[in-house]
Amino acid sequence: DAGPGRWSLRTDTMVVVSIDPATGDTAMISVPRNLPRLPFPPDSELGRRFPRGFTDLANAVFPYVNGHRELAGGGEDAGAQAIKSGIAQLLGIPVHYYVLVDMAGFVDVVDALGGIDIFVGQRVPSPGNPRDAKHQVPAYIDAGQQHMDGTLALTYARSRKGDDDYHRMARQRCVLNAIAARATPMTLA
């Protein structure tokens, strides 16, 4: 959640993706942005600073640690490393890599793939047009099979007007599945 008019980059969408290299089977686990007390490894600087877990919501870890980079190794990607470390501690699994994409980058990825196809189970209210959107979005995304460009896919993934964060996380996983389905060697060439 970053872009023009926003105060900072926050990790409002956090999804762990596990891929079996032999079969290609994929599992996704969403971590709620409003998760309180994200834990860190006890022997880390963050674990020592926050022995009972981070004192704010999980989506605030990134900007906090970027303001205190020494807590996560001091590198340019300290905020991302902190999120990675906290999620690994929370789930009890190693997290080897991360991808960090802001809203404009997300739109560009989907558009570069030629859009994505998603079956929308029920009508979803739009959260409104993202700032600097490439076009206006409709007030609703109707139920049924939809082909979405980046702007519409972002709208679908961000909406929580008609339901809640948990439904939004499910939509985000559907969007990631649709991106993975489009990102074949032919579309990436």
Side-chain angles (χ1 to χ4, degrees):
D1 188 1
R6 299 191 174 269
W7 66 270
S8 180
L9 188 152
R10 293 180 317 270
T11 52
D12 275 0
T13 301
M14 296 170 280
V15 180
V16 176
V17 179
S18 179
I19 303 169
D20 183 320
T23 66
D25 290 344
T26 304
M28 288 190 238
I29 302 168
S30 294
V31 177
R33 68 189 182 98
N34 59 352
L35 178 78
R37 301 273 176 208
L38 184 68
F40 298 103
D43 60 343
S44 69
E45 285 297 317
L46 283 164
R48 287 186 283 278
R49 171 74 62 95
F50 302 105
R52 295 182 37 182
F54 190 62
T55 55
D56 202 341
L57 302 179
N59 74 340
V61 169
F62 188 93
Y64 178 84
V65 173
N66 273 343
H68 303 87
R69 292 179 187 272
E70 71 282 359
L71 294 173
E76 283 295 312
D77 67 343
Q81 292 300 330
I83 289 289
K84 196 171 100 167
S85 165
I87 290 174
Q89 182 70 22
L90 174 72
L91 299 177
I93 60 172
V95 176
H96 300 289
Y97 308 101
Y98 70 88
V99 175
L100 181 66
V101 180
D102 67 7
M103 290 189 284
F106 174 88
V107 169
D108 290 344
V109 166
V110 174
D111 286 347
L113 293 171
I116 58 175
D117 296 311
I118 294 180
F119 181 80
V120 177
Q122 64 185 39
R123 188 179 201 202
V124 176
S126 170
N129 237 48
R131 185 183 292 260
D132 298 328
K134 293 181 179 180
H135 60 80
Q136 290 291 320
V137 297
Y140 292 90
I141 299 170
D142 288 321
Q145 191 66 34
Q146 302 289 337
H147 183 77
M148 299 181 184
D149 70 354
T151 300
L152 193 57
L154 179 64
T155 298
Y156 179 71
R158 291 186 63 226
S159 179
R160 63 173 190 248
K161 280 186 169 182
D163 43 41
D164 56 28
D165 268 345
Y166 298 100
H167 286 88
R168 180 169 88 156
M169 288 186 297
R171 282 192 295 277
Q172 291 166 349
R173 290 189 305 272
C174 286
V175 167
L176 288 175
N177 273 325
I179 290 171
R182 288 287 293 171
T184 64
M186 293 301 291
T187 59
L188 296 177

